Amino acid sequence: MCRSAAGFARPQAETTVRVMTMQVRDPVHGDIYLTETEVRVLDTREMQRLRTIKQLGAAHLVFPGCVHTRFDHSLGALHMAHRMLESLRLNGFTVAPEEAQLVRLATLVHDVTHIPYGHTFEDERQIFPRHDAGPRLEHFLGIQSELGRVLAATGYLDGVRAILTGRPPAPWMGQIVSSTIDADLLDYLRRDSFFAGLRMNYDDRVLSYFIKEGGQLLINMVKHGLDRPDARTEIIHLLRMRYVLTERLYLHHAKIAAGAMISKAVELHTRHTGLREEALYGLGDQTFLDLLARLPGPGIIQQLVEGVIERRLYKRAYVLSGDTLGEARDAFIARYGGQSEAREELEEQIAKRAKLKPGQVIVYCPKASYFKEVQVPVRSRHGVGPLLELDRSGEVAAMARQYEGLWRTYVFCPAEKVDAVRRACEKTFGYESEYR
């Protein structure tokens, strides 16, 4: 074993150019090539579990083609990390073989800590902590796991951990894996569009704009002292794709309703049966739903789970946007978002007014919409900084405002009780529903 420039142990052989030992055919990117180390990582039980977790949770109930998995996405993100690394080399930047392998491995395993419907529980309902930190990361990457042992044997465990916890050997390495416009985004924009049947794509030329400067990964929007309109156009096209996917797919009301129903079932189980986050670590989507239905608890839990499985989803009874709430929106989110006693009391109050049982009314109050991708660091003739600050056209700022305007709070209930719940909500909130 020897040490890389980053200080992590690596095999002596890793100083040479790697030979790709496996070829995988992907419907989005075509052929994806893996090194021997990556094949060993991919064959671990922790990575293979990702085959059983859909990338977009309940989106397949709205877009039937959205059955692609976290496993598929992990391979695609690896491929896009490879494309970014090759573009840096073509642009004249040195990337050592061991640095490239470390970035590729970190990208390959970046989603290994996901649990079924993870974003719903972590970001939207905030039942469990985020997947990319804390005990869960240690469970999947610790030396007691098969994945952890494989990475340790190849000398890359410490480096992968450092990147995934925000302490990369060099900033640009972490920024390829997880930042604003990164390998993760470049895969899921194409993959989610493809499987949802949305005819959108971006041009591979966008890859040619990546540069390293001061240890950071930047998008170069200047050439010979002049701003490059082609670079700006391609980046804005990426942002538009991200916006459209959010508007039409990620925030589709039926997908949200299904996620809200599953979240309510999990909330009730944590209260009545002591369900803990750790119980989900080894599960896929279907085994997770089976567990929820099998555990003892109030009958409403089985009704919620069966409603998702059989696509008898709760309907929108009441909708509010930031336009209606105005400056009161942030206080509204602070009061009713996440795991809030005020939100639970509100659900019970509305259910009582509408003559429904507890659990038959679900208030969905997400965090404020934030378009992080507009903060991608760029170089323009005006300097280096976030695209949002350096774009003088106002187009990026307008897109950011439009994205933030996607925020909605919903109240869901059984279809036959929509009118009763809407009336109860209007009395409770003091606003008429925007959805009639």
Side-chain angles (χ1 to χ4, degrees):
M1 302 290 285
C2 64
R3 292 273 169 184
S4 71
F8 300 115
R10 58 171 173 78
Q12 288 281 0
E14 292 295 309
T15 58
T16 62
V17 176
R18 269 159 214 81
V19 176
M20 300 298 175
T21 61
M22 178 179 282
Q23 178 180 345
V24 177
R25 187 67 175 182
D26 179 67
V28 176
H29 301 298
D31 289 333
I32 297 176
Y33 298 90
L34 295 94
T35 65
E36 181 179 355
T37 299
E38 290 156 5
V39 172
R40 291 178 62 191
V41 165
L42 206 61
D43 283 343
T44 62
R45 62 176 59 91
E46 288 81 12
M47 290 299 295
Q48 290 296 314
R49 181 186 67 95
L50 297 181
R51 292 181 183 271
T52 66
I53 299 178
K54 295 183 187 68
Q55 173 77 3
L56 296 181
H60 68 286
L61 298 175
V62 184
F63 296 85
C66 285
V67 292
H68 54 299
T69 68
R70 293 274 168 198
F71 184 88
D72 310 340
H73 167 61
S74 297
L75 282 170
L78 165 71
H79 177 73
M80 295 314 299
H82 168 74
R83 297 287 306 276
M84 294 170 74
L85 290 163
E86 288 302 304
S87 292
L88 287 174
R89 289 192 182 107
L90 288 172
N91 284 333
F93 298 97
T94 300
V95 178
E98 65 271 16
E99 292 176 325
Q101 181 64 96
L102 176 55
V103 170
R104 287 171 60 101
L105 285 170
T107 308
L108 182 62
V109 306
H110 80 284
D111 269 355
V112 72
T113 54
H114 267 284
I115 56 176
Y117 303 95
H119 281 304
T120 299
F121 302 145
E122 298 163 18
D123 299 326
E124 297 174 12
R125 205 69 169 182
Q126 299 170 48
I127 301 172
F128 301 131
R130 279 188 57 84
H131 63 278
D132 47 10
R136 201 190 305 180
L137 191 67
E138 179 58 31
H139 173 86
F140 285 98
L141 281 179
I143 200 67
Q144 78 285 347
S145 71
E146 184 180 5
L147 174 59
R149 291 194 295 273
V150 167
L151 287 172
T154 61
Y156 286 103
L157 178 59
D158 290 343
V160 168
R161 273 179 170 167
I163 288 178
L164 297 186
T165 55
R167 300 176 290 104
W172 67 268
M173 298 172 75
Q175 288 161 348
I176 287 179
V177 180
S178 177
S179 54
T180 49
I181 294 179
D182 50 26
D184 180 43
L185 176 89
L186 291 172
D187 177 70
Y188 76 68
L189 286 183
R190 279 183 168 161
R191 191 168 302 277
D192 295 351
S193 298
F194 178 86
F195 284 100
L198 301 175
R199 300 187 183 278
M200 301 188 298
N201 204 346
Y202 58 83
D203 196 295
D204 282 350
R205 173 170 286 208
V206 72
L207 295 164
S208 69
Y209 305 132
F210 286 105
I211 61 173
K212 287 197 297 179
E213 187 171 312
Q216 304 285 332
L217 185 72
L218 302 178
I219 289 179
N220 186 23
M221 299 176 63
V222 65
K223 189 173 184 179
H224 302 309
L226 298 175
D227 281 336
R228 300 183 62 174
D230 60 324
R232 180 182 174 279
T233 298
E234 288 300 331
I235 299 306
I236 287 179
H237 180 61
L238 276 178
L239 298 180
R240 289 195 184 283
M241 281 187 68
R242 178 69 170 88
Y243 174 87
V244 171
L245 283 170
T246 302
E247 178 190 74
R248 296 185 59 183
L249 179 55
Y250 307 147
L251 296 185
H252 191 284
H253 62 88
K255 173 183 178 291
I256 290 174
M261 292 170 70
I262 297 171
S263 293
K264 175 54 72 174
V266 170
E267 282 179 359
L268 292 171
H269 265 312
T270 57
R271 185 178 306 134
H272 293 282
T273 65
L275 178 68
R276 295 174 60 85
E277 174 189 349
E278 292 83 356
L280 280 61
Y281 285 177
L283 302 180
D285 290 350
Q286 190 56 53
T287 50
F288 164 68
L289 292 175
D290 291 343
L291 174 68
L292 288 186
R294 187 173 66 250
L295 288 173
I300 185 62
I301 296 178
Q302 282 68 36
Q303 293 174 27
L304 290 166
V305 175
E306 289 172 5
V308 172
I309 293 173
E310 299 170 8
R311 208 191 183 283
R312 290 182 283 106
L313 303 180
Y314 280 10
K315 304 299 182 184
R316 292 170 290 177
Y318 185 78
V319 181
L320 281 180
S321 73
D323 289 341
T324 295
L325 290 171
E327 294 181 356
R329 188 197 67 167
D330 290 347
F332 187 94
I333 294 172
R335 181 168 177 79
Y336 298 120
Q339 289 302 290
S340 158
E341 289 185 9
R343 192 257 305 158
E344 293 186 14
E345 292 171 359
L346 179 65
E347 290 174 340
E348 293 176 5
Q349 181 183 355
I350 295 170
K352 186 175 181 180
R353 279 185 166 174
K355 297 181 171 53
L356 287 168
K357 298 176 183 177
Q360 289 188 302
V361 170
I362 305 175
V363 174
Y364 170 86
C365 179
K367 293 181 286 188
S369 303
Y370 174 61
F371 203 174
K372 74 170 186 175
E373 287 79 9
V374 299
Q375 299 290 344
V376 59
V378 301
R379 166 164 284 290
S380 79
R381 67 189 183 91
H382 302 292
V384 172
L387 175 64
L388 181 62
E389 296 179 9
L390 293 179
D391 183 69
R392 306 260 174 124
S393 70
E395 188 173 4
V396 175
M399 202 182 309
R401 289 192 299 271
Q402 190 176 7
Y403 189 94
E404 291 168 4
L406 293 175
W407 182 89
R408 300 285 186 277
T409 192
Y410 295 100
V411 179
F412 296 107
C413 70
E416 66 275 11
K417 295 294 184 178
V418 163
D419 288 339
V421 170
R422 175 180 54 78
R423 291 192 295 269
C425 287
E426 289 177 341
K427 290 180 181 178
T428 303
F429 289 111
Y431 299 102
E432 286 190 1
S433 175
E434 296 179 21
Y435 176 70
R436 309 297 292 182

